[in-house]
Amino acid sequence: MTFSGRLSGDMPQGQGVSVTACICTHNRTHYLSHCLESLRHQTVGLDAFEIIVVDSNSSPAAATEMQRLVAELPNARLLRVEEIGISRARNAGAAAASGDYVAYIDDDALAAPDWIEQIMRVVEEQPVRPAVLSGRALPVWEAPLPDWWPESLRGILTITEWVGRGEYRTSEVPAGLGPYGANLIVERAALLSVSGFAEDLGRRGGMLLSDEDVHLAWKLQDSGRSARHDSRITVHHCIQAQRLSPSWLLQRLYWQGASSVLTRLMLGHPGLVWGEFPRRLGLAMLLAPLALIPASSTALIGLRWRLAYAQGYVRMVIGELLPRPEAPSLPRKACGLAENASAAREAMG
């Protein structure tokens, strides 16, 4: 990875910046209501930015409630996409946005009162405008974090607590720190120039594929644009009680393993996938007997989440890279995702 920050499309400091806040949601009007309320009280005032809510194929009752909620804000608009998927919804929001930057916030997150103000400030502080910004996502616990939850996996709940600023994938920020879609700001022109978020990544239906945010950030950064973390840009992310279970954690880690493979391949790094494959395959084989433990049990969870990740990793490699017969009319990626969805159900019980 090289970062130059000198693409001709970069705009100089001090020319002002407009922001569109975008919330993508599906059948979660309770969370949406609170998220919109946090945007109502931004320090810059409602006339300083716009809000787009993207309804990702919600039920008729939820869609009606969304219309009511959005109508209460003079700077808000409602869009609907008929096919579910977070990346597809985010792309629809970007296409409709008028701001220089699209500030994505999850429907179960609350914007700090100065969220929009800090986005504008951070952009204007940079010598050239960054393509991607992300900041802190502080937890709001719906239930206490269980004692058995591995400390190293707090981040899997979309929590970022590091205070500081700097370019991702450099010594300026901690190793492994990356952007989260719960608090992700993207220059609209840059986003559209790479055809938006990859719709093969991101959650849709029962598949917990992720890393669509990371893929976009690294793709733009690899092209020479800046992708930065700045902790002044803060949201508060609700950690849902239903996620604090062993079965959810194992399922999430399975899909994270699959997502890691797919993201690296889409960024053009098959060597990284193959380099890690022997270790993941060895773990999957060595720890395979642990799959007999019920998914709801916390027993040996430190080993079982590693097994889940390895299973997802290995199955995605098999689906995407290893030769196998397949229907000529169905792309390999589609075959792999379909098989992995079935495998996840089997692996997680």
Side-chain angles (χ1 to χ4, degrees), residues 28-260:
R28 302 208 302 185
T29 54
H30 172 71
Y31 287 115
L32 176 63
S33 173
H34 292 293
C35 183
L36 286 172
E37 191 64 18
S38 73
L39 293 176
R40 181 192 296 275
H41 299 289
Q42 290 295 296
T43 55
V44 296
L46 292 177
D47 59 349
F49 70 107
E50 74 169 346
I51 302 169
I52 292 178
V53 176
V54 183
D55 171 10
S56 184
N57 194 28
S58 296
S59 69
T64 299
E65 176 64 6
M66 287 178 201
Q67 291 174 357
R68 185 190 69 80
L69 292 171
V70 170
E72 294 178 351
L73 289 167
N75 61 335
R77 290 185 283 146
L78 178 64
L79 302 178
R80 181 177 172 89
V81 292
E82 297 299 334
E83 192 171 353
I84 197 169
I86 185 62
S87 291
R88 185 171 289 107
R90 285 177 178 157
N91 288 339
S98 63
D100 300 326
Y101 281 81
V102 184
Y104 293 99
I105 181 171
D106 279 0
D107 60 358
D108 59 355
L110 307 172
D114 63 349
W115 186 56
I116 296 293
E117 178 184 349
Q118 293 294 353
I119 291 169
M120 294 175 173
R121 175 176 289 116
V122 170
V123 170
E124 293 202 325
E125 284 178 355
Q126 303 308 310
V128 292
R129 289 192 171 183
V132 177
L133 290 169
S134 191
R136 291 187 299 170
L138 303 179
V140 178
W141 302 99
E142 292 186 353
L145 185 68
D147 292 339
W148 55 263
W149 193 279
E151 179 64 25
S152 62
L153 296 182
R154 281 172 61 90
I156 210 73
L157 293 164
T158 313
I159 297 172
T160 303
E161 297 171 299
W162 183 71
V163 176
R165 65 194 75 167
E167 186 73 18
Y168 285 117
R169 296 195 294 176
T170 74
S171 60
E172 295 176 350
V173 301
L177 183 68
Y180 278 133
N183 184 15
L184 183 70
I185 301 93
V186 188
E187 186 189 46
R188 182 173 181 269
L191 180 62
L192 297 180
S193 73
V194 293
S195 301
F197 289 89
E199 295 183 2
D200 286 319
L201 294 170
R203 297 184 185 183
R204 58 188 185 274
M207 289 196 298
L208 296 183
L209 277 169
S210 58
D211 284 3
E212 75 288 348
D213 38 18
V214 171
H215 171 264
L216 176 71
W218 295 172
K219 185 175 182 179
L220 287 168
Q221 195 183 51
D222 286 347
S223 76
R225 297 298 306 274
S226 172
R228 295 184 61 82
H229 176 93
D230 196 305
S231 60
R232 291 173 292 177
I233 302 172
T234 299
V235 304
H236 301 268
H237 182 228
C238 296
I239 310 301
Q240 299 170 38
Q242 65 188 26
R243 296 184 177 181
L244 303 178
S245 68
S247 57
W248 185 90
L249 178 63
L250 295 176
Q251 186 182 35
R252 178 68 181 83
L253 265 295
Y254 175 93
W255 285 107
Q256 186 58 56
S259 300
S260 296

